[in-house]
Amino acid sequence: DDQGGGSLGNLSSLRREDSGAERSLLWSPTEGLEGAAQSLGPSAQGGLSVEANPASSQGNAAALRRRQAASERNKRWTQSLKETEEKIEELRKLRIPEVEQALLSGEEAYTSRRETANLSRRQHSHIRDTESGIVLPVTLEEKAAYRTRDEDLEFKFYYMEITKAFKDRWGTMLDLQTGENRTRLLNSTCTPPAQLDCGALQWVVISEFDKMDRDNNGIVTMKEYEGVYPPQQQAIKNGFVPGMDFTQAAGVDSVLQFAEWDKYFGLALDILEASVKDPLARTFWTVCGVEKYGTLMPPDGNLSNTANDTWIPIRDVDQLEDGRFRFVIKGFNDEDNNLYLINVLVRNRATGEVAAYHFHTVQRRTPVYSPPEVGGPEIGLIVGVSVGIGVVVVVVAVAVAFTRNKKMRPRLRIRKK
């Protein structure tokens, strides 16, 4: 299902800690299977933690639009089916032999498919009792109705680095600490129109405003706005947060300033999410996608160790008092504002079913720079310079000591009479 899984609806609350390179992944064992939105926040140990929290308002708005679109599609399909049935009934009244034979064949095919479906539901499967190991025969319907327990679950942890792809799409930003250009941050406040230190979310807002401002005068009129968001599309997508439109945002001046656009623009997160969750580039929100594109983490979370292709039982994962579980990750390279996707596969040992959680997007705000390795001629140069400095210091110290400690010699003066 390419519509499920990860979301960036939490980027507005994404926080990164500057100290240490340790990340803590926190999640509820069954909540992720039910499509819970995730958000990132600092852990108690000072690393990054991923917590199951409500999605941001922008994420909720995107989900609401998707539900509304699905509801509209269902209404259209229902109406189309009703019209088809009415036309079939009209044809049936004509009593045309060829039509009656075609309708009969269709009904027989439908009945056959329905009986096959009912048979598959009655077929037997099994459930393994996780405590005793006994295999219990059940029907597929009973297996589907099995209520998952925490003790039935076991996990695998995967990560995927997307730094290069993200940099190719969103470019670089100026690191004010080093003066160098590095991968753009997901979220970094800045002062428009300068975009050197803007995060990707802020850059989206600025770019979308510039797209409407055709005459580059710093304001957007209704005509310029409708050039990007035509009136016939505004019922579905008008660019603003739910409940807001151009007239309300523009106010009495009837022109849109950037401050109002920055405050009420509601699609920045959707645009950024579409670039990360691009099915043509990667699939990291399904079981197959995680296994194909992801890198399996070692059971201890230390990426410098070898990963074993084994499931981690729930008893071996650190559990918090509130019921969530913590998995500590160490060893990420953070030299270039590196961007990683993290996801968890969970398997029900009783039924054998495997599911993927929502993936998480992780990026450190302040890079961790490693000093370059020095060896060979560089070490000789440093040693030579150090010895030279030492010799100079010693010579100067000896000269000073000699000058201070030498005795005054008697002087002979000759006077002329």
Side-chain angles (χ1 to χ4, degrees):
D1 179 9
D2 287 344
Q3 300 300 321
S7 172
L8 298 183
N10 49 16
L11 290 184
S12 59
S13 61
L14 184 63
R15 301 179 182 177
R16 311 160 184 86
E17 296 299 320
D18 297 340
S19 60
E22 180 177 297
R23 315 285 177 86
S24 296
L25 175 65
L26 282 75
W27 80 103
S28 298
T30 55
E31 189 170 1
L33 301 178
E34 300 169 358
Q38 309 291 336
S39 64
L40 301 180
S43 70
Q45 287 71 25
L48 271 177
S49 61
V50 184
E51 305 174 359
N53 289 329
S56 66
S57 59
Q58 294 181 347
N60 288 335
L64 178 60
R65 287 193 294 271
R66 287 193 292 268
R67 288 195 297 269
Q68 291 175 343
S71 177
E72 292 296 328
R73 287 196 300 271
N74 290 337
K75 290 180 180 179
R76 291 196 299 269
W77 292 340
T78 301
Q79 180 63 27
S80 177
L81 180 60
K82 181 180 179 181
E83 294 174 356
T84 301
E85 291 177 345
E86 292 175 351
K87 292 179 181 179
I88 291 176
E89 188 62 29
E90 292 177 0
L91 290 173
R92 194 187 300 274
K93 293 178 180 179
L94 298 177
R95 298 187 179 278
I96 302 175
E98 292 80 4
V99 174
E100 292 181 349
Q101 182 62 36
L103 293 176
L104 180 61
S105 300
E107 291 175 354
E108 292 177 349
Y110 173 76
T111 302
S112 176
R113 287 196 300 269
R114 185 172 182 179
E115 290 178 351
T116 302
N118 291 334
L119 179 62
S120 65
R121 285 196 294 268
R122 292 194 297 269
Q123 290 177 347
H124 284 272
S125 182
H126 69 275
I127 290 179
R128 181 182 299 275
D129 185 81
T130 55
E131 296 181 358
S132 64
I134 299 176
V135 178
L136 307 175
V138 295
T139 65
L140 292 181
E141 289 182 333
E142 292 172 337
K143 183 177 181 179
Y146 177 80
R147 184 175 181 82
T148 300
R149 302 172 300 175
D150 288 355
E151 55 267 27
D152 296 333
L153 305 180
E154 51 190 4
F155 308 95
K156 282 184 180 180
F157 302 87
Y158 292 81
Y159 75 93
M160 177 184 180
E161 183 173 2
I162 60 170
T163 305
K164 183 180 183 304
F166 189 82
K167 182 186 292 186
D168 292 343
R169 174 63 179 85
W170 298 105
T172 60
M173 62 178 293
L174 179 65
D175 189 326
L176 299 180
Q177 295 184 354
T178 64
E180 300 178 357
N181 288 324
R182 301 192 181 275
T183 302
R184 190 178 298 277
L185 294 176
L186 291 167
N187 190 0
S188 179
T189 57
C190 59
T191 303
Q195 301 182 24
L196 296 178
D197 58 340
C198 291
L201 279 173
Q202 289 72 25
W203 193 35
V204 170
V205 177
I206 296 173
S207 300
E208 290 297 309
F209 185 82
D210 292 342
K211 185 188 300 183
M212 296 185 299
D213 186 13
R214 304 300 296 272
D215 53 7
N216 297 320
N217 63 349
I219 59 175
V220 174
T221 63
M222 174 67 80
K223 183 178 180 180
E224 290 176 322
Y225 167 75
E226 291 181 347
V228 179
Y229 298 95
Q232 61 271 21
Q233 297 182 5
Q234 293 179 17
I236 301 175
K237 182 178 69 173
N238 66 355
F240 295 99
V241 297
M244 183 62 61
D245 56 23
F246 181 89
T247 303
Q248 293 176 330
V252 295
D253 296 334
S254 298
V255 292
L256 190 65
Q257 305 283 346
F258 178 80
E260 285 74 23
W261 178 254
D262 186 26
K263 182 178 180 181
Y264 296 117
F265 181 54
L267 298 180
L269 201 57
D270 294 346
I271 295 174
L272 182 57
E273 177 180 310
S275 69
V276 175
K277 191 178 177 181
D278 182 0
L280 299 179
R282 68 191 66 88
T283 306
F284 205 62
W285 46 90
T286 65
V287 175
C288 295
V290 171
E291 292 179 336
K292 179 178 180 180
Y293 295 101
T295 300
L296 181 64
M297 299 186 195
D300 60 358
N302 191 340
L303 302 185
S304 61
N305 296 334
T306 303
N308 299 322
D309 191 14
T310 57
W311 291 91
I312 304 175
I314 200 169
R315 63 176 180 273
D316 293 341
V317 183
D318 185 23
Q319 186 173 11
L320 304 180
E321 295 181 356
D322 57 6
R324 293 176 301 160
F325 292 82
R326 176 191 290 120
F327 183 76
V328 179
I329 306 169
K330 301 178 182 179
F332 276 139
N333 178 18
D334 289 312
E335 294 184 352
D336 188 24
N337 295 344
N338 301 64
L339 207 69
Y340 298 92
L341 304 181
I342 301 176
N343 208 341
V344 184
L345 292 186
V346 55
R347 182 172 70 172
N348 189 326
R349 292 191 296 165
T351 64
E353 298 167 306
V354 182
Y357 279 77
H358 286 234
F359 71 80
H360 309 283
T361 308
V362 178
Q363 182 188 50
R364 181 178 293 276
R365 178 179 293 277
T366 303
V368 178
Y369 303 115
S370 301
E373 297 182 359
V374 179
E378 292 84 358
I379 292 181
L381 177 61
I382 294 175
V383 172
V385 172
S386 300
V387 172
I389 294 175
V391 171
V392 173
V393 172
V394 172
V395 171
V396 172
V398 172
V400 171
F402 176 77
T403 302
R404 290 182 177 178
N405 295 331
K406 69 179 182 177
K407 296 181 180 180
M408 296 293 294
R409 296 179 180 180
R411 297 178 180 178
L412 179 61
R413 293 182 181 182
I414 300 175
R415 296 180 179 180
K416 295 181 179 181
K417 293 185 180 180

